Amino acid sequence: MTDYLSVADAVAEEIRSGALRPGDRLPPQRAFAKRRGIANSTATRVYRELARRGLTVGEVGRGTYVRAAQDETAPALTEPAVGGRIDLELNYPAVPGQSALLAEGLGGLLRPDALAPALRPVGTAGLPAVQESAAGLLARGGWRPDPARVLFAGNGRQALSAAVAALVPPGGRLGVEELTYPVIKAVAARLGITLVPLPMDEDGLVPQALAEAHAAAPMHALYVQPRLHNPLSLTMPERRIEELAEVLLSLGLPAVEDAIWAFLRDELPPLAAYAPERTVLIDSLSKRIAPGLTLGFAVAPTALTATVAAALRAGGWAPMRFALEAAHRWQQDGTVRKLVAAKQREATERQELAARCLAGFPVRSEPRSYHCWWPLPRPWRADTFVAAAARHGIGVVPAAAFTVDAGHAPNAVRLGLATPPPDVLARALTTLADLARSAPEDLVTD
């Protein structure tokens, strides 16, 4: 008689070696018993043992599948760093139950009759039904884009690259906030574009400074983050965004509006609502839904839609139709709405946690933002603080990453709050606070 544990051990070894991969379906128990030369009752015990070990998962009506590997993190908070590293650099929000919610919405798409068309190629305009649902997904603050003007890219960075390429020729000038999203620096370098840093105040980009810079040396376009700015977390008040729209219209200057984080403030309309004929709005699903779901959006004025679409095609940045179909279903069944609401709540909770852990420091943040900006106390410099944090196993981003001219970076760091579990985040922030209260020379040992 065959011992069920020895059979379970053999299957476990197949999973460990990669012979059976995550997502592979095991045969029905009767077929498994026949293949292994064991009794049906033994096969039942084997399947139970594999599930007990966390190696498989059963799905009612579908069968038993090899389970995806579990995340193994052992963040280190003491010097020297050992084990895993706490990431406050990358910022990818995921809420409890997210995967189960997304999987439920994908059920219908995985039927062979639905999957076959979802695996065919598609153009930058997607499909009319998907454009319609995308318009609903992007709508906020009473603004809703014309579905015919919604274009799709493989991800948000591709949409951003296409918009900049469509508006600014090689050798041209692109205005940016003096603290800006680091990716725009890489995009500009690749396209041969000069970035022009523009002054900011507590309300964001200063419109008059934009007008003066353009008068001194004309620019081809502006790149701006009006809502939940990265890295500062600030949101332009209505009067400021109206002033910016007026300047864009008076100068005849187009703008690329980065709205990647704006879903967290979905009660506020975008800049595109104030200057629709001058604004190309860029968005994606990576923050709103999941980082591994790469789908970008570009909402262009009617006069620029064809130009932006041509830039997407020239870059080879067309979307995957499967991602389009998935996003369409999640929008239609309410999954997107549920995830957005959950992430808005979670962002608020994490900001409250950060406020407690960093109490007494002049940290700049927004109640619904997933990051905060920390001007460091003297005598700390951003570079030495980042190095000291790394020795404690914590990754943070220095201000220099967000400036066009790193030599003029403020003495600050950005903290991403989205990635670690809340308890790990709290311990990391407490460690950073303790570090900031010490002096750099306190860390020097013989």
Side-chain angles (χ1 to χ4, degrees):
M1 179 177 179
T2 303
D3 179 8
Y4 79 95
L5 289 176
S6 64
V7 179
D9 288 342
V11 177
E13 176 59 25
E14 292 175 17
I15 295 173
R16 187 201 65 78
S17 68
L20 286 173
R21 299 176 59 80
D24 284 353
R25 182 180 180 182
L26 298 185
Q29 290 183 20
R30 287 183 180 275
F32 180 86
K34 184 176 181 180
R35 185 178 303 172
R36 302 275 176 160
I38 58 178
N40 290 339
S41 59
T42 303
T44 299
R45 299 184 72 185
V46 169
Y47 275 44
R48 287 176 181 167
E49 176 65 16
L50 292 172
R52 187 190 69 78
R53 298 183 190 182
L55 298 175
T56 61
V57 59
E59 299 183 18
V60 177
R62 298 189 63 216
T64 300
Y65 294 81
V66 176
R67 191 170 192 163
Q70 300 299 301
D71 291 336
E72 296 182 6
T73 56
L77 289 167
T78 56
E79 190 177 345
V82 293
R85 177 173 173 275
I86 299 177
D87 187 359
L88 303 187
E89 296 175 313
L90 298 178
N91 222 8
Y92 291 122
V95 293
Q98 174 173 302
S99 295
L101 187 62
L102 293 173
E104 183 179 348
L106 283 181
L109 184 56
L110 299 181
R111 296 195 321 266
D113 59 322
L115 186 59
L119 297 180
R120 295 172 187 157
V122 69
T124 58
L127 305 164
V130 180
Q131 284 183 308
E132 184 67 36
S133 64
L137 183 149
L138 297 171
R140 56 186 173 89
W143 171 83
R144 187 179 191 276
D146 177 358
R149 292 169 45 218
V150 178
L151 301 171
F152 301 94
N155 57 48
R157 294 183 180 187
Q158 292 175 358
L160 173 59
S161 297
V164 172
L167 298 178
V168 187
R173 291 161 52 83
L174 176 67
V176 297
E177 293 140 316
E178 59 185 348
L179 289 164
T180 191
Y181 179 39
V183 169
I184 195 64
K185 297 194 289 183
V187 170
R190 188 172 67 249
L191 297 176
I193 290 170
T194 298
L195 295 182
V196 181
L198 300 169
M200 304 176 71
D201 61 16
E202 64 277 5
D203 289 335
L205 177 69
V206 178
Q208 185 58 35
L210 169 63
E212 292 171 358
H214 185 68
M219 291 174 283
H220 291 87
L222 169 72
Y223 167 78
V224 64
Q225 304 172 79
R227 309 301 193 188
L228 292 181
H229 178 276
N230 179 16
L232 296 180
S233 283
L234 62 81
T235 288
M236 286 185 180
E238 184 175 12
R239 182 57 193 155
R240 173 57 57 87
I241 205 167
E242 289 175 346
E243 291 172 356
L244 178 58
E246 290 171 3
V247 169
L248 292 173
L249 293 171
S250 65
L251 298 177
L253 190 68
V256 177
E257 177 181 8
D258 189 332
I260 300 299
W261 287 107
F263 73 94
L264 294 169
R265 294 294 307 270
D266 59 359
E267 78 279 13
L268 299 176
L271 173 63
Y274 296 84
E277 63 272 43
R278 286 287 155 198
T279 307
V280 180
L281 181 139
I282 302 300
D283 208 333
S284 83
L285 294 185
S286 61
K287 313 296 186 185
R288 188 185 267 104
I289 296 185
L293 184 71
T294 57
L295 182 64
F297 307 93
V299 181
T302 302
L304 292 174
T305 301
T307 306
V308 175
L312 285 168
R313 290 192 294 270
W317 296 324
M320 295 185 297
R321 183 163 172 174
F322 184 88
L324 287 179
E325 296 282 4
H328 174 62
R329 289 170 180 267
W330 286 326
Q331 174 66 12
Q332 294 298 106
D333 68 11
T335 296
V336 174
R337 175 179 50 79
K338 293 175 184 176
L339 285 177
V340 166
K343 291 183 179 183
Q344 289 172 342
R345 290 192 299 270
E346 189 198 53
T348 299
E349 292 166 0
R350 289 179 178 245
Q351 284 290 349
E352 292 171 351
L353 185 155
R356 292 194 298 272
C357 295
L358 301 177
F361 294 103
V363 176
R364 183 173 199 163
S365 62
E366 255 252 8
R368 274 199 234 158
S369 175
Y370 269 109
H371 52 264
C372 55
W373 183 250
W374 187 4
L376 295 170
R378 294 179 179 178
W380 280 105
R381 299 195 321 269
D383 56 346
T384 54
F385 189 82
V386 169
R391 289 197 293 273
H392 286 72
I394 306 169
V396 300
V397 187
F402 303 96
T403 58
V404 175
D405 182 356
H408 293 82
N411 192 41
V413 295
R414 192 206 71 172
L415 305 178
L417 307 179
T419 304
D423 59 330
V424 175
L425 176 62
R427 286 186 287 129
L429 293 174
T430 300
T431 298
L432 293 178
D434 291 341
L435 187 62
R437 293 187 186 100
S438 67
E441 55 268 21
D442 294 344
L443 302 177
V444 179
T445 58
D446 294 332

